[in-house]
């Protein structure tokens, strides 16, 4: 209703000291990987890969002669860092009015702008995580599109040809539209060997709902667990059929590991990932260009980005242009997502029904 002047001239407006985000969606896998990031080392990071057996072993008797062949069965996968930024800019007049009087300031404009922009950037990274790294003239971070491929779409990975080094092929199975437990079992078996098995399943919300339809009612037991990645620790209690990740998203178990929905995930795809071989390696920017993000916490509701956790996020600090009444800054993120064993990763594609 519209109040009369009797009210509007005698009563102040009140703005809640918090910001509600109605834009960003869930991004659990990217945040899970980045939060457990490791520091990048050197110009290029190389990971030795064994791609075939030593075949000189043989049974023998008496004075049989042995092979003296030297076996060369290792090669390096090589990766170079990539970088991403988001710009934060504010005009002098807006900053001046916002900081004029603390009694009238509801939210600090500068801190709010940095924090929300950092969250927008984290959301961008979640999108890139499902790409193949070729976007923007190969400047994008390398994502699951390149890691989890059998050579059909991405012929080389880590500088190696998948047709030459066939053990860096992932298992990719076109589902023919339907999701079944049999197809999931076949994928699981293809990428599992002994203790080397998937640690997490990632899919979109619609496909997760398809999997839920395959479960018996007694298998849908909800458990609350942290989204933080802790090496060697289970994401939920053993035996739980389903869980909810702290932030409110819900997932279900399959053969001892959780399957969760990620709104960034390629539609109709179900990934089985072994996180023991997937890592975010971060390059903190040179000190001349900034340092860790520092701002007064702003209460933001409506998304899962409570903090920009992990190694690699940096803030340039505020920069004053020489010909404008404004301040400008940049949030940086350097490094890349690296998979050292694509063979242990797999996915089903084209899922639309059960």
């Amino acid at each position: 209703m519209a109040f009369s002047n009797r009210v509007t001239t005698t009563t102040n407006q009140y703005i809640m000291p918090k910001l509600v985000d109605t834009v960003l969606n869930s991004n659990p896998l990217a945040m899970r990987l980045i939060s457990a990031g490791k520091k990048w080392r050197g110009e290029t990071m190389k990971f030795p890969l064994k791609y075939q057996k030593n075949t000189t072993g043989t049974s023998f008797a008496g004075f049989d002669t042995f092979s003296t062949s030297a076996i060369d069965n290792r090669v390096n996968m090589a990766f170079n860092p990539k970088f991403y930024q988001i710009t934060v800019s504010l005009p002098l007049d807006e900053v001046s009015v916002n900081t004029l009087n603390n009694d009238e300031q509801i939210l600090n404009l500068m801190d709010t702008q940095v924090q929300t922009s950092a969250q927008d950037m984290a959301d961008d990274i979640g999108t890139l995580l499902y790409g193949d790294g070729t976007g923007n003239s190969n400047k994008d971070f390398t994502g699951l599109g390149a890691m989890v491929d059998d050579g059909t779409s991405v012929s080389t990975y880590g500088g190696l040809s998948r047709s030459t080094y066939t053990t860096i092929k992932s298992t990719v199975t076109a589902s023919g539209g339907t999701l079944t437990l049999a197809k999931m079992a076949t994928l699981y078996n293809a990428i599992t060997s002994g203790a080397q098995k998937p640690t997490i399943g990632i899919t979109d919300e619609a496909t997760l709902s398809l999997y839920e339809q395959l479960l018996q009612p007694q298998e849908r037991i909800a458990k609350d667990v942290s989204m933080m990645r802790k090496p060697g620790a289970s994401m939920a209690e053993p035996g739980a059929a389903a869980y909810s990740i702290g932030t409110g998203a819900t997932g279900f178990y399959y053969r001892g590991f959780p399957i969760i929905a990620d709104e960034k995930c390629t539609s109709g795809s179900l990934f089985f990932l072994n996180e023991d071989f997937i890592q975010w390696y971060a390059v903190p920017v040179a000190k001349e260009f900034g340092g860790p993000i520092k701002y007064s916490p702003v209460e933001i509701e409506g998304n899962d980005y409570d903090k920009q956790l992990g190694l690699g996020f940096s803030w340039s600090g505020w920069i004053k242009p020489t010909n404008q009444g404004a301040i400008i800054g940049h949030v940086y993120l350097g490094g890349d997502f690296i998979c050292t064993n694509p063979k242990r990763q797999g996915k089903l594609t084209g899922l639309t029904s059960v």
Side-chain angles (χ1 to χ4, degrees), residues 54-177:
N54 180 337
T55 58
T56 61
T58 181
S59 57
F60 72 96
F63 291 97
D64 288 354
T65 58
F66 305 148
S67 169
T68 58
S69 299
I71 302 300
D72 189 358
N73 61 353
R74 294 185 298 277
V75 68
N76 286 324
M77 288 196 295
F79 301 89
N80 294 320
K82 299 182 177 183
F83 293 86
Y84 196 89
Q85 74 85 39
I86 195 166
T87 300
V88 186
S89 59
L90 290 168
L92 176 148
D93 51 357
E94 293 182 5
V95 174
S96 299
V97 170
N98 178 254
T99 58
L100 186 63
N101 191 312
N102 288 334
D103 291 336
E104 276 74 47
Q105 183 189 79
I106 306 301
L107 295 170
N108 183 288
L109 176 60
M110 296 169 67
D111 288 342
T112 301
Q113 201 74 2
V114 174
Q115 186 167 345
T116 59
S117 295
Q119 292 186 352
D120 291 343
M121 179 173 165
D123 188 73
D124 292 345
I125 304 307
T127 300
L128 297 182
L129 177 56
Y130 289 92
D132 60 10
T134 61
N136 194 20
S137 301
N138 297 307
K139 298 173 189 174
D140 286 351
F141 293 126
T142 308
L144 297 180
M147 297 179 199
V148 189
D149 191 81
D150 58 4
T152 301
S153 299
V154 180
S155 60
T156 63
Y157 184 72
L160 302 179
S161 168
R162 282 184 157 121
S163 60
T164 301
Y165 302 99
T166 58
T167 59
I168 62 171
K169 290 183 178 182
S170 302
T171 299
V172 179
T173 305
S175 71

Side-chain angles (χ1 to χ4, degrees), residues 293-316:
I293 297 178
K294 293 181 180 179
Y295 47 71
S296 299
V298 175
E299 187 170 356
I300 300 177
E301 298 180 340
N303 67 49
D304 294 340
Y305 303 96
D306 295 331
K307 300 175 183 177
Q308 281 64 59
L309 297 173
L311 187 64
F313 281 96
S314 302
W315 168 239
S316 67

Side-chain angles (χ1 to χ4, degrees), residues 163-319:
S163 60
T164 301
Y165 302 99
T166 58
T167 59
I168 62 171
K169 290 183 178 182
S170 302
T171 299
V172 179
T173 305
S175 71
T178 58
L179 175 65
T180 67
L181 293 176
K183 290 175 182 178
M184 294 173 65
T186 299
L187 177 62
Y188 177 89
N189 292 339
I191 63 175
T192 298
S193 180
Q196 307 303 318
K197 54 190 176 183
T199 59
I200 195 169
I202 299 290
T203 189
D204 61 288
E205 291 178 312
T207 306
L208 185 65
S209 295
L210 295 179
Y211 175 58
E212 183 179 9
Q213 295 178 45
L214 299 177
L215 296 175
Q216 297 297 321
Q218 65 269 23
E219 295 178 300
R220 301 167 189 170
I221 305 170
K223 295 288 182 179
D224 291 330
V225 299
S226 171
M227 190 54 209
M228 294 298 297
R229 181 182 177 190
K230 297 178 181 179
S234 172
M235 286 186 67
E237 297 178 19
Y243 72 94
S244 98
I245 41 176
T247 55
T250 300
F252 299 93
Y253 260 73
Y254 177 76
R255 295 199 180 188
F257 66 91
I259 300 177
I260 66 173
D262 189 329
E263 291 173 270
K264 299 293 185 180
C265 183
T266 307
S267 178
S269 295
L270 172 59
F271 290 85
F272 283 179
L273 305 176
N274 187 329
E275 295 171 286
D276 292 341
F277 303 109
I278 301 176
Q279 187 70 53
W280 164 253
Y281 285 92
V283 180
V285 301
K287 61 182 180 180
E288 290 80 6
F289 292 89
I293 297 178
K294 293 181 180 179
Y295 47 71
S296 299
V298 175
E299 187 170 356
I300 300 177
E301 298 180 340
N303 67 49
D304 294 340
Y305 303 96
D306 295 331
K307 300 175 183 177
Q308 281 64 59
L309 297 173
L311 187 64
F313 281 96
S314 302
W315 168 239
S316 67
W318 291 109
I319 303 167

